């Protein structure tokens, strides 16, 4: 669905990142084995889309969502969580 969109939708990236965040949360239920390959394939497919959209993104929500998806796809889970934070939250984390 995201491959066919003319414009990136930050909502889609936020949803994908939120699902992965929940999946990685301590105590979460693992993906059923019969769906594991499809889930992995979806992550393989979304990475180039997120990179494409990130390259042209200007608005904050799309940048943060696409960056979070790229980070999760690359195994950078902490970076993904930080990418989803607002600018004010990131400044606060840095003690500013």
């Amino acid at each position: 669905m995201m491959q066919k969109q003319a414009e990136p939708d930050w909502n889609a990236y936020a949803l994908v990142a939120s699902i992965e965040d929940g999946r990685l949360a301590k105590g979460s239920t693992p993906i059923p084995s019969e769906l594991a390959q499809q889930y992995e394939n979806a992550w393989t497919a979304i990475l180039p889309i997120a990179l494409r959209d990130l390259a042209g993104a200007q608005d904050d929500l799309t940048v943060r969502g696409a960056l979070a998806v790229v980070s999760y796809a690359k195994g950078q889970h902490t970076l993904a969580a930080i990418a989803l934070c607002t600018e004010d939250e990131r400044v606060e984390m840095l003690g500013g």
Side-chain angles (χ1 to χ4, degrees):
M1 182 171 62
M2 292 174 75
Q3 289 173 328
K4 296 177 184 178
Q5 291 178 329
E7 295 291 321
D9 181 2
W10 71 267
N11 290 294
Y13 287 117
L15 177 61
V16 169
S18 295
I19 290 169
E20 186 65 357
D21 185 56
R23 186 187 75 80
L24 295 170
K26 190 173 188 175
S28 68
T29 304
I31 295 174
S33 59
E34 63 272 13
L35 298 177
Q37 187 61 53
Q38 291 172 320
Y39 191 78
E40 184 178 320
N41 292 346
W43 273 100
T44 299
I46 199 169
L47 178 59
I49 298 166
L51 288 168
R52 175 201 70 200
D53 290 346
L54 182 60
Q58 296 297 317
D59 67 284
D60 180 62
L61 292 172
T62 302
V63 170
R64 289 190 295 140
L67 186 57
V69 168
V70 169
S71 298
Y72 275 128
K74 295 293 190 174
Q76 300 294 317
H77 305 146
T78 305
L79 181 58
I82 292 169
L84 289 172
C85 294
T86 65
E87 178 68 15
D88 290 342
E89 291 169 326
R90 292 189 303 262
V91 168
E92 186 177 324
M93 281 183 216
L94 295 172

